[in-house]
Amino acid sequence: MGDAVELEVGGRTVRLSSPDKVFFPERGFTKLDLARYYIAVGPGILRALRDRPTTLERYPEGVGGENFFQKRAPKNMPDWIPTAHITFPSGRSADEMCPTEAGAVVWAAQFGTLTFHPWPVRRDDVDRPDELRIDLDPQPGTDYDDAARAAHELRAVLDEFGGLRGFPKTSGGRGLHVFVPIEPRWTFTQVRRAAIAVGREMERRMPERVTIKWWKEERGERIFIDYNQTARDRTIASAYSVRPRPHAPVSAPLRWEEVGVAHPQDFDLATMPARFAELGDVHADMDDHRYSLEALLDLARRDEHDHGLGDLPYPPEYPKMPGEPRRVQPSRARKDS
């Protein structure tokens, strides 16, 4: 595997063992390639992770080996990487790492971390999100181009309800994510309610192309707006994260004019450093903005008052929530009635 190497990252020395270990056999990318990638895009991924409790998606033997999600900060984590105490829906809690410098990202890569999953909160207030995250998830029969069409309509919806600006990125797979920086004034429950309002408005505008139906049997060949990605402890891969697929794709921040023109396969561990060197972080100004959710929450209240559209089901592992409808798929409910 080769002798260990030491990498200088933002004033930190990070030791990388087995640098020649192949993490992506199809492309031949090694652990050292992964670390160098994260150094190349360091300012970008640090902007996405800074001060956020972060779950590590680890593949110690590469994409062909076993993997796991590490939520609790590793015991061997350096003392210069801070943590935040977060609480899960189950009531259990943990200390998660909160990167504040690029060296923390490379340190995690040393242990086989491919993808970083940050919470939408900062460590100084872990109960009030500062991002509204919209996940456009293609269902069978749809693809990335369908998600891109939905994203452009989503852009219009966000602008209409509060003058919100979304920042789009590829998921690293077939989907798209749009993040909106918000004031950290609302709870997870309220932010999720705003996401549901966005989804319902999108359904009204694109009924044949978009759905917010939680049960797969009801979605059809449409783009699913996964509102539950805004629930507590649900996270989305960060911008610039490498995804665990054979060709080593990355989650790529986009400018709006690139949505529908650029495609996910354009961005991988080999191509993103050159793009970053040329353009820098195209979402670099994201933290300069903070938007209000009041217009979307007003929309949610009107949906409920005028149309009887209240809450929607949570994921199965969550405790029953106040106002939540029956958490049973429609076909089973019909059999039970």
Side-chain angles (χ1 to χ4, degrees), residues 56 69-75 88 92-97:
L56 309 179
F69 288 84
Q70 181 153 4
K71 294 186 176 185
R72 287 169 170 77
K75 292 182 179 179
F88 304 116
R92 299 177 67 185
S93 62
D95 293 322
E96 286 204 356
M97 72 176 292

Side-chain angles (χ1 to χ4, degrees), residues 135-139 142-154 169 171 173-178 202 206 209-210 222-224 256 259-260 264:
D135 181 8
L136 302 173
D137 184 10
Q139 299 303 290
T142 64
D143 57 19
Y144 176 82
D145 290 331
D146 296 304
R149 281 189 286 270
H152 284 292
E153 187 61 40
L154 171 62
K169 68 182 185 70
S171 67
R174 300 190 309 139
L176 271 166
H177 304 147
V178 178
M202 288 288 291
M206 306 179 75
R209 293 183 176 273
V210 169
R222 292 179 287 185
I223 298 298
F224 172 50
W256 274 108
V259 175

Side-chain angles (χ1 to χ4, degrees), residues 33-280:
D33 293 326
L34 178 70
R36 285 175 172 165
Y37 165 79
Y38 278 127
I39 292 172
V41 301
I45 193 165
L46 186 58
R47 187 267 310 157
L49 299 179
R50 190 187 305 275
D51 286 322
R52 298 190 182 281
T54 300
T55 296
L56 309 179
E57 186 176 357
R58 292 179 54 187
Y59 287 75
E61 302 303 321
V63 293
E66 293 185 2
N67 70 289
F68 58 95
F69 288 84
Q70 181 153 4
K71 294 186 176 185
R72 287 169 170 77
K75 292 182 179 179
N76 61 342
M77 193 174 71
D79 58 11
W80 50 267
I81 301 177
T83 62
H85 194 72
I86 49 90
T87 302
F88 304 116
S90 65
R92 299 177 67 185
S93 62
D95 293 322
E96 286 204 356
M97 72 176 292
C98 297
T100 56
E101 49 188 287
V105 178
V106 178
W107 177 85
Q110 146 67 13
F111 296 97
T113 301
L114 300 185
T115 307
F116 295 82
H117 297 266
W119 282 50
V121 299
R122 308 281 181 167
R123 62 190 173 108
D124 60 351
D125 187 350
V126 296
D127 293 316
R128 297 187 183 276
D130 68 348
E131 287 179 347
L132 169 66
R133 299 173 173 181
I134 308 297
D135 181 8
L136 302 173
D137 184 10
Q139 299 303 290
T142 64
D143 57 19
Y144 176 82
D145 290 331
D146 296 304
R149 281 189 286 270
H152 284 292
E153 187 61 40
L154 171 62
R155 185 186 188 188
V157 169
L158 293 173
D159 182 63
E160 183 175 336
F161 290 92
L164 310 182
R165 176 185 171 188
F167 291 75
K169 68 182 185 70
T170 66
S171 67
R174 300 190 309 139
L176 271 166
H177 304 147
V178 178
F179 286 11
V180 180
I182 60 174
E183 301 167 4
R185 294 168 46 198
W186 296 277
T187 65
F188 277 94
T189 302
Q190 291 170 311
V191 174
R192 178 178 173 275
R193 191 76 171 127
I196 290 173
V198 168
R200 284 177 168 148
E201 182 64 21
M202 288 288 291
E203 274 188 329
R204 286 189 281 266
R205 298 184 183 205
M206 306 179 75
E208 301 303 318
R209 293 183 176 273
V210 169
T211 182
I212 200 172
K213 299 293 187 184
W214 176 246
W215 304 106
K216 290 183 179 181
E217 64 187 33
E218 295 187 304
R219 293 177 191 171
E221 295 184 1
R222 292 179 287 185
I223 298 298
F224 172 50
I225 297 182
D226 189 354
Y227 62 89
N228 269 328
Q229 291 289 29
T230 53
R232 178 185 287 272
D233 192 34
R234 284 298 180 99
T235 57
I236 294 178
S238 77
Y240 300 103
S241 273
V242 179
R243 306 312 309 274
R245 295 179 174 86
H247 59 295
V250 304
S251 180
L254 300 175
R255 299 167 294 193
W256 274 108
E257 59 267 25
E258 295 178 299
V259 175
V261 178
H263 281 76
Q265 59 266 31
D266 298 334
F267 309 106
D268 60 32
L269 192 147
T271 62
M272 179 56 83
R275 172 181 168 89
F276 195 90
E278 178 184 357
L279 300 178

